[in-house]
Every structure is written in structure tokens, then in C-alpha cells.
């Protein structure tokens, strides 16, 4: 089945390149030139992935990203002319799974699209369990006891890494490599932000902490501090 990609971009030249390049790769492509229209299209006919421009008329890309993200674990690749570390962190905090700075190379973009789609396609039906936490990789459902926990694509990926390596201390470098695929550098706080999001969701009803900080090293999934 061909994956459906929604492009939300207001620059006609970039839109044309993306539409042609992705269609050539075999994807079904929908387009929107403003944020509100893109949101409505994503809700009416859910795509497999969204390519989203940061600077859009009306509702900007960050707000569109937050609203798309609140609807579930849809992979989002953000395009932007903003290229500082702080901009990248802001985009990822809003819920983007990956980030590409304009002008970009089409081959790199399609490679990142393939990687994002690969990550979100379940390769095996496996259920991980740790304490009262469970993760079903077929349905992508995460539960704490019987409470279902809605996660974004990136939160899910991060938690899956911990669930695959319980009680094992994972360094920041390993987590960046496995979950983001590249290094943001020491000044980035994106990992801390995602750990905070995960903890808030896993502990929303006063449950005990499962993801612990190992100061100066990284993080570990275990029952006790």
C-alpha cells in the first residue's frame, strides 16, 4: 500500500519540487498552503506522514504541529529557514519528529521520510512489560496497569528504547543515536524535555517513577531510584 504524505507549505516553488519528487518515489501526496486547511485535511483523511513548513500564513507551523501532535503519533517532518539549536529544540518541543533546514536536498528529504515511515511501521508484534507498564508494538498501545497512555511518535520511540533495555543505564549519546539518529550537541535540552513529557504521562495519576536520571551519564528504566 502506498503511504500518503500531506505537505503543508505556502511556497509554490518548494511545493512543486516536493510534490513531484515524492510522487516519483511512489507516495500519494496531498497538499495544503496554510495551516488551518492542512489541519482539517489531516483530520479528514489521516496521512502516514506530514511535511510541515514553520512559517505559514495564519496559523504558524509550530501551532499546527502542536495540534496535529495532540491527535496522536503521526510522524512530522518540519521544514524551516531557522537553523539555530534553539530553533531546532523549539520545533521538536512542539512535536516534530525531524527537522530539515531550507534550502534542502531532495534526496536527503526523501531519505528522512523513508526513515520516519520505517520507524513508525511495526516490524514485529511484541508486548514489552516492566512493573505495571506494558507496550504492545502491534497496536502501539502503552498502558500503566489498565490506564491507556497516549504518546507522540517520538515519546513512543524513546519509551520503547527503555522497554527493550530495562535496568540498563542508557547514555545520552546512545539515546540520541537510537531515537534521533544524529547528535544535537551538548547544549541541546531536547532529551530532558522528552524525558519530562514521558514522566508526566507515566505518572499522571500519582504512579511511582520508572524513568530515573543517572547524573552525568543518562537515564535508566527501573523500579527504584
Amino acid at each position: 500500500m502506498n503511504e500518503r504524505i500531506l505537505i503543508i507549505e505556502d511556497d509554490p516553488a518548494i511545493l512543486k519540487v516536493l510534490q513531484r519528487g515524492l510522487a516519483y518515489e511512489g507516495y500519494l501526496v496531498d497538499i495544503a498552503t496554510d495551516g488551518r486547511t492542512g489541519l482539517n485535511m489531516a483530520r479528514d483523511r489521516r496521512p502516514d506522514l506530514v511535511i510541515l513548513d514553520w512559517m505559514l500564513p495564519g496559523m504558524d507551523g509550530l501551532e499546527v504541529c502542536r495540534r496535529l501532535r495532540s491527535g496522536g503519533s503521526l510522524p512530522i517532518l518540519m521544514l524551516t529557514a531557522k537553523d539555530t539549536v534553539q530553533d531546532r529544540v523549539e520545533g521538536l518541543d512542539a512535536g516534530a519528529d525531524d527537522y530539515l533546514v531550507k534550502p534542502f536536498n531532495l534526496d536527503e528529504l526523501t531519505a528522512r521520510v523513508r526513515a520516519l515511515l520505517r520507524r513508525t511501521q511495526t516490524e514485529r508484534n511484541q508486548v514489552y512489560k516492566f512493573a505495571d507498564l506494558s507496550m504492545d508494538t502491534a497496536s502501539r498501545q502503552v498502558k500503566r496497569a489498565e490506564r491507556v497512555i497516549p504518546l507522540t511518535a517520538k515519546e513512543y520511540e524513546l519509551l520503547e528504547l527503555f522497554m527493550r533495555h530495562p535496568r540498563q543505564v542508557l547514555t545520552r549519546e546512545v539515546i540520541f543515536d537510537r531515537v534521533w539518529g544524529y547528535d544535537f550537541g551538548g547544549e541541546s535540552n531536547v532529551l530532558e524535555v522528552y524525558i519530562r513529557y514521558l514522566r508526566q504521562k507515566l505518572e499522571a495519576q500519582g504512579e511511582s517513577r520508572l524513568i530515573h536520571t543517572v547524573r552525568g551519564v543518562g537515564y535508566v528504566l527501573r523500579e527504584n531510584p
Side-chain angles (χ1 to χ4, degrees):
M1 191 179 105
N2 290 22
E3 289 104 336
R4 181 175 297 281
I5 295 177
L6 171 61
I7 305 169
I8 310 175
E9 166 67 70
D10 66 327
D11 183 317
I14 292 176
L15 205 48
K16 189 175 180 181
V17 167
L18 288 176
Q19 195 174 9
R20 187 175 292 171
L22 291 167
Y24 180 79
E25 293 285 331
Y27 299 110
L28 303 171
V29 181
D30 294 324
I31 60 171
T33 54
D34 69 86
R36 206 165 290 281
T37 302
L39 264 182
N40 291 335
M41 288 177 71
R43 286 166 180 164
D44 291 344
R45 184 161 63 173
R46 185 176 173 82
D48 295 294
L49 180 141
V50 174
I51 296 175
L52 174 63
D53 185 30
W54 184 313
M55 304 296 287
L56 289 168
M59 187 187 297
D60 73 9
L62 286 183
E63 182 58 27
V64 174
C65 190
R66 289 187 192 100
R67 295 193 186 196
L68 283 171
R69 180 53 70 226
S70 68
S73 58
L74 175 65
I76 299 170
L77 171 61
M78 186 166 268
L79 302 178
T80 177
K82 297 169 177 280
D83 62 352
T84 69
V85 169
Q86 188 51 48
D87 290 325
R88 280 185 282 175
V89 170
E90 196 177 350
L92 292 159
D93 282 357
D97 294 291
D98 203 352
Y99 190 106
L100 201 54
V101 176
K102 299 176 182 178
F104 54 83
N105 176 286
L106 185 61
D107 287 341
E108 182 182 2
L109 180 134
T110 53
R112 291 191 183 214
V113 164
R114 286 194 298 273
L116 281 174
L117 289 169
R118 238 189 345 261
R119 287 183 205 167
T120 53
Q121 286 161 350
T122 305
E123 294 174 357
R124 63 202 177 284
N125 180 2
Q126 189 165 350
V127 177
Y128 294 108
K129 290 184 185 294
F130 184 82
D132 61 348
L133 186 62
S134 65
M135 170 182 277
D136 186 330
T137 60
S139 63
R140 294 179 70 84
Q141 188 176 72
V142 174
K143 288 181 175 181
R144 189 90 197 249
E146 290 306 306
R147 179 172 69 88
V148 176
I149 302 171
L151 297 178
T152 68
K154 195 57 70 178
E155 288 164 356
Y156 178 93
E157 224 176 306
L158 182 56
L159 183 60
E160 186 181 12
L161 180 62
F162 284 117
M163 296 288 276
R164 288 205 315 265
H165 302 279
R167 301 183 188 87
Q168 181 180 331
V169 177
L170 301 174
T171 65
R172 290 171 53 87
E173 292 73 23
V174 164
I175 297 170
F176 270 129
D177 183 60
R178 302 280 180 82
V179 178
W180 279 272
Y182 49 92
D183 185 13
F184 275 97
E187 71 272 52
S188 170
N189 70 340
V190 68
L191 177 54
E192 285 72 19
V193 169
Y194 272 89
I195 292 289
R196 188 170 75 243
Y197 292 161
L198 265 183
R199 283 173 172 165
Q200 285 170 351
K201 292 184 177 184
L202 295 179
E203 303 164 20
Q205 293 188 2
E207 293 98 336
S208 61
R209 175 151 297 180
L210 291 177
I211 298 175
H212 299 278
T213 304
V214 181
R215 204 165 296 284
V217 183
Y219 299 92
V220 60
L221 180 74
R222 63 185 176 210
E223 293 95 332
N224 303 310

